[in-house]
Amino acid sequence: MIAAATPGTGTSTSTRGKLKVRLIVQPQYCIGCRACEMACAFTHGTGGQPGASRCVTVTTGKDEYVPMFCLQCDHAACVQACPVGAITRDAATQQVHVNNDKCVLCMACTVACPFGNMHYDPLRALIHKCDLCTGYGDDPRCAMFCPTKCLSVERW
Amino acid sequence: METVRYESADGFARHVDELRKSRLASQRRVLVCCGTGCLAGGAEQVAVEMDKQLSTLPAAKRAELNLVMKKTGCHGFCEKGPLVVLMPEGTFYKGVKPKDVADIVHRTIANGEVLEHLLYVEPKTGERVVRYGDIDFYAKQMRVAMRNIGHIDPASIDDYLLRGGYASMVKALTTMSPEDVLVEIEKAKLRGRGGGGFDAGRKWRSAKKAVGDRRFVICNGDEGDPGAFMDRSIMEGDPHGVIEGMIIGAYAVGSHEGFIYVRQEYPLAVEHLRKAIADARGRGLLGKNILGTGFDFDIEISRGGGAFVCGESSALMRSVEGKVGEPRAKYVHATEKGLFDQPTVLNNVETWVNVPRIIEKGADWFTSLGTDRSKGTKAFALTGKVKNTGLVEVEMGTTLREIIWGPGGGMLDDGPKGKFKAVQTGGPSGGCVPEALLDLPCDFDSLTEVGSMMGSGGMIVMDHSTCMVDVARYFLSFLTDESCGKCVPCREGLLQMYRIVSRICEGHGRMEDLDQIESLSQTIVVGSLCALGKSGPNPVLSTLKYFRDEYLAHIQDKKCPAGVCKALITYKVNHDACDGCGACLRSCVSQAISGTIRKGETFQIDEVKCDRCGACATVCKRGAIAAA
Amino acid sequence: MAFHMTINGRRVDANAGETVLATARRHGIPIPTLCYHEAVEPFGSCRLCMVEVTKAAWKGWKGLMTACLYPSAPDLIIETDSPRVRQVRKTVLDLLLARCPDADVIRKLAAEYGVEQTSFVPRENPDKCILCGLCVRVCETAATAAISTVQRGHHREVGTPWGGPPPDCIGCLACAHVCPTGHIQYSEAGGGRKIWGREFKLVRCKETGKTLPITEEQAAFLVKRQGMDPSYFATSEEAQRKRTATTLGKIARWDKLGLVQEEVKS
């Protein structure tokens, strides 16, 4: 079980008590099909373009893959790096939330994220990251479409 | 020089008493006006010469006369300067040159002989007037805000004390509570004199209620309206009057910090205010624990950077903060969040200088003057085509006719073109008032109802040699220059309006222009961020309302009836009057005049080469050249 | 603290401290803006967001206020699209079209209000700057206040110290991104970035050598201003992701191979 990690300190602090929806990732079961990326892109209205997915499956070795998404860090680097305070912890969902109306596209967050989970979509000119499909109804779609038990959802 | 410091109201009273007893002996005062207007006319040299001549009087004579010479602030009769007034007789000499001073000293002062050639001539009667108080210009005024100007040396705090100065402040701080003072101002219904006419008591009350760590009082001395110089004269000539008013106001609202914002172009006002503040501090009238009451208050001077828009209260506050002077939306009032986001009371110079008088004589006295909704008096800067140009303070409700033909002395030019045409009030925010409305009372509301406004007091009289379309063009040119440029309706709208009116003046106007002016004005009036923009269309709209014919003449007939708009006038030689002297030919820089210098031959002006400078018309002794 | 007001006849809830614009947008009621951006304080310069405001107590008097600045208050009655409002917006857009005839966003907005061609005299040698002030305000908030508006009235323009390349600019491009008309130009080539006459080097990833989307000056600025270690701004997103994925993958497979003794407890 991988829980959210605190960058830089090496400890793993669970936000289980705060996050209401949690994506459980078990990379050992990932087969690299990238259905998660497609599902993510379609759900967020980008017509399935993989480049616009908030989930990125990284090939780490022969037949070894790891799907990567925002870890909703407790002490997020992106929150601290943003010079206009466009990234905050949403009170209701407890997730790290990007306010695109406030964002000025300086790219600081995409660089600061130590895990490479903050992305810039050049076609739509906006910053995005995994939002656990909040506001898009149902569970995180990647988990719904994952053919293996790599991605699953836990609700609290 | 002894340094007196007042530690209590008693100490103050005792010292003033001493002053009275000492100065009572020095009864005769030779007042040389050294306001900016008279200085421009050479008053400094007059003062120097006066000093010199007075010192040549034999010692015994000097002791007998018991004289003191004072360089005073602006009397207000600026066009007649340099002025010298001898008190207590009130002998008034105008247009004094350094060469006249010897006679003034040795013949008038030493011998009581009146110098006829220096006396003011009353235009209506042609009579020479000796006494200051008998001159219509002064006699028909009621000076409350300008009560001290011209009677005191602004650099002398003792002069101010001798005229009852600071007594109101002492009364307020030692016998009244801050609430008492505030109630008195509320009862007096004092409305702001800077143009807005907002009830000062209401403003002070909301600042007092507002929450904040600091509280400020500010004096708006930016006076940007072209032709207005009342505030300049008050700041130059009676700086303590402003300071005293601010101390009383600060006490009422609970402020300990004051600013006087003086426009960059008034260095003399800054100098006199600085001296006055230093002197007041020295005497313990400003600073910590004033008169032992525990009330702290001090004033700093803030200088403008040369922008009309900084007279707007929120822009002024930004300027004091060291930022660019740009207004902000005032949905949250300055009384709650003003200077440095703290509760602030901002009032005009003239408003502040009324405060000590109200405390001294009471709200009932103040409300006995003026009209139902405009109490007290108002100072106006009467300029333009009047005989007596200068500062006029009258009771609110005095009609425009009474002002212009009373202290104003009537129209300047007695010829046909000199007939009254309009009077522009309120500067670039105001409008013109035609002859039919001359019996309107001058107060906050009556002029606004007819599309003008009383404004800060600028009053420009125009006769038939003034083109009203050109007047509108002038004010638009001023406003497009002075707009801060932040909001679209003012920055772009006034610019486009200026272009339209200029085109009309150049003979390229179209009837559709009038519709466009009217519709554009509507957006500028409701859409602009601040009063500069909002009131910007007023001059055009009011001239269009009352002088539409003139606009039509420019557009349809391509003519300028007043003979001002160069593109629409032609200079012609009247052959019957021309005597062939050739003066016009010699005066023409465009070589547009032809003819030979010989009797019987008259001259011609080439319309194409002529650039309408009017020099030929001016030099022609026969009046044979005129613009049509 | 919440209360109610009426917008276009609809009763909506509002919060203390909200502006009319924020309240309207929260309820999906559209109000056009040009000089508004959430990253900076409202400015009130474009006047496009003007709405008609009244209250029962005002006895029929209606004021036109900029929604971006006007505070929401109990019992306000707002109209966002009345004829008076539309007339002001139309004229403002007409004036802006005269100023910037080539700015597409203005042309589009103006057309929505019935203005295809300006009825005023177009500016000579026009550019696309509508003087909304967003670039200056964002630079002040998000960066170094390297640019500012200079001069006043119709001479007003966005300028730099003494008209030269602004020494404080960090090349973050925030100004270019918030500009509504695309007036601010920049270019990127060969690992460098050019804007406002300044040239910048993009940071190169210490692992792969590929360029990052921020300049060296920007990285230094963020370290200082946001109080973060320089190591946050030295590696590319891709490299970070690869490295993290590799580590996470290893941990997952150790678990699978039974090499990790204890499971992370839920």
Side-chain angles (χ1 to χ4, degrees), chain B residues 306-307 326 329 331 480-489 491-493 495-496 499 516 520 523 526-529, chain C residues 43-47 50 64-66 69-71 84 88 91 95 98-99 119-121 130-131 152-154 156:
Chain B
E326 275 168 16
Y331 307 135
T480 51
D481 237 5
E482 296 292 340
S483 163
C484 77
K486 183 168 167 180
C487 78
V488 176
R491 181 187 73 234
E492 307 292 338
L495 176 67
Q496 295 289 354
R499 288 214 178 105
Q516 194 168 43
L520 181 53
T523 298
V526 299
S528 295
L529 191 150
Chain C
F43 200 45
S45 74
C46 73
R47 316 309 282 176
M50 295 211 93
L64 276 165
M65 319 286 185
T66 46
L69 282 162
Y70 199 79
R84 228 172 124 204
V88 172
T91 310
L95 288 167
R99 189 193 155 80
S119 50
F120 300 108
V121 178
I130 56 170
L131 286 176
R152 64 173 186 239
H154 57 103
R156 184 187 177 97

